[in-house]
Amino acid sequence: VILAGGRATRMGGGDKGLRRLGERRLIDHVIARLGPQVGKMALNANGDPARFAEFGLPVLPDPLPDYPGPLAGVLAGMDWAAAQGVPAIVTAAADTPFLPADLVAGLTAAAGPEGLALAGSRDAAGKLWRHPTFGLWPVDLRHDLRTALQDGLRKIVLWTYRHAAGIAEFHHPAR
């Protein structure tokens, strides 16, 4: 599930994934990288879904009002996958074109005891940073996630910590 449900307020509004990077849009890069790693793809986005019609992907709006953040997009994806009998989803941000070509394999290998994993990478000082919009999300956790969102939780890392998420460490290419 490509997460594109945000309002991009820090970028002046609009769809970040539709901004250009070279000859293509950011989301084109994400689809090209994620597509070979998964069986099906969908897009989490709010507003008029017609603006994404050319991609031929299901467009999943947040299941809760008032743009509660990326966890709502994760929940939309989990609900979509559960309806199809799919046990888990992988998420990627629509505005991050250089996601790992082995994202799904890495997340799967790092899954915690409940099957949950987030991507992470180390900075120059060696500190591990989580990238919480890139994760493996078992659909069995969707009811707990829905309750947490309805109770006001918005921070991905707080919810994933409760479920002992594993961390898949990805390395930056040489600069």
Side-chain angles (χ1 to χ4, degrees):
V1 175
I2 300 170
L3 301 176
R7 295 180 289 175
T9 54
R10 291 179 297 223
M11 293 180 73
D15 294 303
K16 291 186 287 185
L18 297 179
R19 295 186 184 231
R20 297 200 80 73
L21 176 65
E23 298 295 315
R24 299 190 297 172
R25 295 161 298 187
L26 292 170
I27 197 167
D28 295 320
H29 292 277
V30 174
I31 289 169
R33 281 277 179 124
L34 188 60
Q37 300 183 57
V38 297
K40 297 179 181 182
M41 277 196 296
L43 187 62
N44 160 245
N46 297 299
D48 184 1
R51 70 191 192 278
F52 297 109
E54 70 181 276
F55 300 109
L57 299 174
V59 178
L60 316 171
D62 288 350
L64 300 170
D66 303 323
Y67 300 97
L71 275 176
V74 171
L75 179 58
M78 292 167 104
D79 287 342
W80 170 73
Q84 299 178 59
V86 176
I89 63 167
V90 168
T91 56
D95 62 347
T96 309
F98 304 116
L99 62 105
D102 62 346
L103 176 68
V104 174
L107 290 169
T108 301
E114 294 186 64
L116 186 62
L118 296 178
S121 62
R122 294 192 185 274
D123 64 17
K127 180 178 179 183
L128 182 63
W129 291 89
R130 285 173 273 191
H131 304 293
T133 55
F134 293 86
L136 173 66
W137 311 89
V139 299
D140 288 346
L141 296 177
R142 72 187 185 285
H143 302 299
D144 183 84
L145 178 55
R146 187 180 330 277
T147 299
L149 283 164
Q150 289 169 337
D151 289 346
L153 181 75
R154 299 296 179 258
K155 298 270 186 196
I156 294 174
V157 294
L158 294 179
W159 188 79
T160 58
Y161 181 77
R162 290 182 194 169
H163 294 282
I167 303 294
E169 187 174 342
F170 294 95
H171 302 281
H172 293 289
R175 298 175 199 247

